[in-house]
Amino acid sequence: MYEYYVMNNFDLNYVRHLINGIVSLIKSLEYLPERYPRFELLKKETNVRYAIYKKYKIIYEIMDDKVYILRVIHHSLNITDGQAHPIR
């Protein structure tokens, strides 16, 4: 993500702020990760959830009291089959 923004001439301060915000949200999942909604496109027996930061969706799974980050995607992408597709 960092490389994309830098290569497309985004302001470096904006990029750092964005990345730091996403990392902070991810670190906050250590405490009460169940506070965010389940990712409904998957089977009910999974504990995959998502959190939103600005225009990004952080998709994660809770297993055995651990949090695993599965993806960080831009809101303009649609996940229907486990893959990210642009929304048209």
Side-chain angles (χ1 to χ4, degrees):
M1 182 182 340
Y2 179 83
E3 290 85 10
Y4 170 82
Y5 281 112
V6 170
M7 290 184 70
N8 286 287
N9 297 319
F10 280 78
D11 177 63
L12 223 45
N13 288 325
Y14 170 79
V15 175
R16 285 187 189 116
H17 178 73
L18 178 65
I19 301 293
N20 288 338
I22 291 171
V23 170
S24 292
L25 189 147
I26 289 170
K27 286 181 178 180
S28 80
L29 295 174
E30 180 180 358
Y31 305 101
L32 198 61
E34 297 87 3
R35 70 185 179 271
Y36 293 107
R38 288 184 186 271
F39 195 71
E40 297 297 331
L41 293 175
L42 300 175
K43 297 176 185 175
K44 295 288 183 187
E45 61 267 11
T46 64
N47 200 3
V48 176
R49 296 172 178 267
Y50 68 94
I52 303 290
Y53 181 78
K54 297 194 182 249
K55 294 181 178 183
Y56 288 88
K57 185 178 285 188
I58 295 99
I59 302 170
Y60 64 97
E61 185 170 15
I62 305 168
M63 285 189 334
D64 302 324
D65 294 326
K66 292 184 181 178
V67 175
Y68 297 90
I69 306 303
L70 303 177
R71 294 209 185 217
V72 177
I73 61 169
H74 193 271
H75 77 92
S76 66
L77 295 178
N78 182 26
I79 294 186
T80 54
D81 57 2
Q83 300 296 318
H85 304 281
I87 295 175
R88 298 180 207 279

